[in-house]
Amino acid sequence: MQLDVNVSAKTCPLCGNENYCGNLVSGSDGGGCWCTSSDIAFPDSLLNQVPNDAKNKACICKSCALKHKRKIDGS
């Protein structure tokens, strides 16, 4: 049996660093968040890395999103 882990909405579930989610700060729909930038993508290959207990509870940080993009782009 897996124990529930406390998940912080402010912490990236992949690296554990602050995710700087603009939605948490402004309560908006993402319009003020870095995640709406055209250079950011959240493909399934990235989202599938999020532990089940953190899915839909914490945002991936910009650093992890860009690192994954460089990995799949081959750069």
Side-chain angles (χ1 to χ4, degrees):
M1 180 168 111
Q2 184 177 1
L3 298 176
D4 286 338
V5 176
N6 290 332
V7 175
S8 171
K10 294 181 178 184
T11 303
C12 174
L14 300 181
C15 70
N17 293 323
E18 177 89 18
N19 59 28
Y20 300 105
C21 177
N23 294 326
L24 293 176
V25 175
S26 66
S28 73
D29 61 0
C33 188
W34 58 264
C35 69
T36 60
S37 172
S38 62
D39 64 336
I40 301 294
F42 298 94
D44 287 341
S45 57
L46 176 60
L47 296 175
N48 289 337
Q49 295 177 39
V50 176
N52 286 335
D53 59 345
K55 288 186 190 269
N56 299 311
K57 296 178 185 171
C59 297
I60 296 168
C61 72
K62 184 176 184 177
S63 178
C64 285
L66 291 175
K67 182 178 175 181
H68 183 76
K69 183 179 187 312
R70 286 190 301 269
K71 183 179 175 181
I72 61 174
D73 287 349
S75 18

